[in-house]
């Protein structure tokens, strides 16, 4: 008499995998970061006796943004551009309520960047009453701009190098 | 002799119900993937000081390992060492020489002398409460620069 083979489906043993999960989840929960910390790179000017690092061959400007209780005053400085041309870049952005107008700052810096593409440095001169939070918002506004590259909107660097002015000797 | 009802009872006792773990496995897998995506080895080194709230920023720059200066609402610290007391967002009782905060300067000079790594040797990671005015911040920045740390990484909360 021929034997009939019965194909019995074995259940997968999930217990070891469960053990692994139950160990890993508390471990990850303990080390999980529910807030994400980032950094903003800033420097302060220092006195140096070396040669200037400013490139004299390319037309570039350093943008000075002075934040005071009335608003933002934008000026530009450069070793290669005439004072008349620099004067044309000056702008004043009045405060919007209690806060500085970050969008208008981005737009003003964008105009300068489009004219002098090599520029990347912003000197931020906050007023003594300017809050740290407000300073960070101004740096954010100066970091990137949206521009169309090959038909697509991309974020391009605007003035990512920030120097908070206070000369240290 | 076993009667029929006794045999049925025995069979019922032997057939243990099988626990269906599939739903549990699905749930644990989702939690595990979520936690793995959220965990970052870099941020393990960063200890956020108590009694401060960082400003939010769109910066994408990651964490840098360097000397940490913390300006909380109650004290000024270098790493976790007390430097000066702060009250009402102002330094209280610290010796100040011009714009130099003397105890902070001395502490940073000590750290500079002890620094083993050349990487980020001129950099300070600054954790400061978002409510501080530039007046306080400026004296800290100036003091750090005078002590040989002119580069800064301002700690922010990513938005």
């Amino acid at each position: 008499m021929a034997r009939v083979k019965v194909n019995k489906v074995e259940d997968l043993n999930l217990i070891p995998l469960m053990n692994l999960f139950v160990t890993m989840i508390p471990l990850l929960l303990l080390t999980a970061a529910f807030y994400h910390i980032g950094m903003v790179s800033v420097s302060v000017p220092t006195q140096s006796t070396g040669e200037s690092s400013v490139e004299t061959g390319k037309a570039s400007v350093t943008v000075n943004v002075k934040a005071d209780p009335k608003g933002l005053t934008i000026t530009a400085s450069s070793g290669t551009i005439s004072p008349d041309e620099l004067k044309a870049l000056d702008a004043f952005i009045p405060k919007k309520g209690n806060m500085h107008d970050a969008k208008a700052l981005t737009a003003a810096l964008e105009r300068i960047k489009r004219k002098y593409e090599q520029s990347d440095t912003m000197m931020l001169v906050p007023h003594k009453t300017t809050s740290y939070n407000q300073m960070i918002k101004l740096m954010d506004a100066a970091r990137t701009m949206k521009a169309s590259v090959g038909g697509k909107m991309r974020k391009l660097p605007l003035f990512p190098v920030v120097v908070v002015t206070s000369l240290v000797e | 002799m076993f009667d029929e009802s006794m045999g049925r009872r025995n069979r019922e006792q032997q057939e243990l119900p099988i626990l269906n773990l599939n739903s549990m496995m699905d749930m644990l897998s989702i939690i595990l993937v979520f936690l793995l995506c959220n965990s970052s080895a870099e941020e393990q080194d960063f200890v956020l000081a108590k009694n401060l709230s960082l400003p939010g920023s769109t910066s994408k720059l990651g964490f840098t390992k360097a000397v940490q200066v913390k300006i909380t609402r109650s004290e000024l610290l270098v790493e976790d060492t007390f430097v000066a007391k702060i009250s009402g967002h102002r330094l209280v009782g610290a010796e100040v020489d011009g714009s130099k905060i003397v105890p902070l300067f001395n502490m940073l000079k000590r750290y500079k002398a002890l620094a083993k790594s050349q990487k980020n040797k001129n950099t300070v990671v600054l954790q400061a409460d978002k409510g501080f005015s530039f007046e306080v911040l400026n004296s800290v920045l100036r003091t750090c620069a005078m002590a040989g740390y002119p580069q800064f990484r301002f700690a922010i909360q990513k938005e």
Side-chain angles (χ1 to χ4, degrees), chain B:
Chain B
M1 287 282 286
F2 288 104
D3 62 9
E4 203 179 319
S5 66
M6 267 182 81
R8 203 187 307 131
R9 208 180 305 143
N10 264 355
R11 271 202 305 278
E12 278 171 6
Q13 277 172 357
Q14 281 164 5
E15 282 174 15
L16 289 169
I18 298 163
L19 191 66
N20 187 1
L21 292 175
N22 290 341
S23 322
M24 181 78 125
M25 284 295 295
D26 290 347
M27 188 185 76
L28 290 177
S29 306
I30 292 166
I31 295 173
L32 195 70
V33 170
F34 171 77
L35 288 173
L36 279 171
C37 290
N38 274 284
S39 69
S40 157
E42 272 185 352
E43 284 171 12
Q44 303 307 316
D45 294 327
F46 186 88
V47 182
L48 185 64
K50 286 174 188 169
N51 207 8
L52 70 78
S53 52
L54 295 176
S57 170
T58 54
S59 174
K60 299 277 183 283
L61 192 66
F63 175 68
T64 307
K65 214 170 180 180
V67 178
Q68 293 200 29
V69 174
K70 302 169 185 181
I71 318 171
T72 74
R73 285 186 283 257
S74 57
E75 52 197 4
L76 174 64
L77 308 158
V78 175
E79 296 294 343
D80 285 323
T81 313
F82 176 84
V83 174
K85 199 169 177 253
I86 290 173
S87 177
H89 285 109
R90 297 207 165 269
L91 282 166
V92 181
E95 188 192 336
V96 178
D97 176 14
S99 57
K100 181 166 81 179
I101 305 162
V102 178
L104 176 64
F105 178 82
N106 294 339
M107 185 77 77
L108 286 172
K109 276 283 184 196
R110 235 172 289 156
Y111 270 91
K112 189 90 180 167
L114 292 170
K116 289 171 191 164
S117 167
Q118 289 296 300
K119 201 182 168 194
N120 298 324
K121 63 170 185 155
N122 298 330
T123 307
V124 156
V125 171
L126 186 80
Q127 290 185 37
D129 184 78
K130 63 182 177 186
F132 275 100
S133 66
F134 181 63
E135 193 178 16
V136 178
L137 217 64
N138 190 28
S139 47
V140 173
L141 297 182
R142 276 172 171 251
T143 307
C144 291
M146 284 180 218
Y149 294 95
Q151 305 290 328
F152 296 90
R153 295 282 187 276
F154 289 173
I156 50 92
Q157 197 169 334
K158 282 184 186 170
E159 282 180 346

Side-chain angles (χ1 to χ4, degrees), chain A residues 14-27:
Chain A
L14 294 173
I15 305 296
L17 199 59
M18 283 283 291
N19 289 341
L20 182 75
F21 278 18
V22 169
T23 318
M24 278 181 83
I25 287 172
L27 181 82

Side-chain angles (χ1 to χ4, degrees), chain A residues 99 130-140, chain B residues 53-57 128-134 137 156 159:
Chain A
M99 302 289 276
T130 307
S131 73
Y132 179 44
N133 192 39
Q134 186 69 84
M135 280 170 64
I136 295 290
K137 297 286 174 239
L138 294 177
M139 290 176 205
D140 283 353
Chain B
S53 52
L54 295 176
S57 170
D129 184 78
K130 63 182 177 186
F132 275 100
S133 66
F134 181 63
L137 217 64
I156 50 92
E159 282 180 346

Side-chain angles (χ1 to χ4, degrees), chain A residues 80-133:
Chain A
T80 53
I81 297 159
S82 72
D84 289 340
E85 275 183 81
L86 290 174
K87 190 81 183 155
L89 302 173
D90 290 359
F92 177 74
I93 302 165
K95 249 186 170 179
K96 224 178 178 181
N98 267 340
M99 302 289 276
H100 288 293
D101 193 345
K103 277 187 183 172
L105 174 65
T106 308
L109 294 179
E110 207 176 315
R111 278 194 296 274
I112 299 172
K113 182 78 174 184
R114 287 189 194 282
K115 204 167 180 187
Y116 303 103
E117 289 181 352
Q118 300 294 328
S119 315
D120 64 355
T121 306
M122 176 179 80
M123 301 275 277
L124 182 63
V125 192
H127 188 261
K128 63 178 184 178
T129 56
T130 307
S131 73
Y132 179 44
N133 192 39

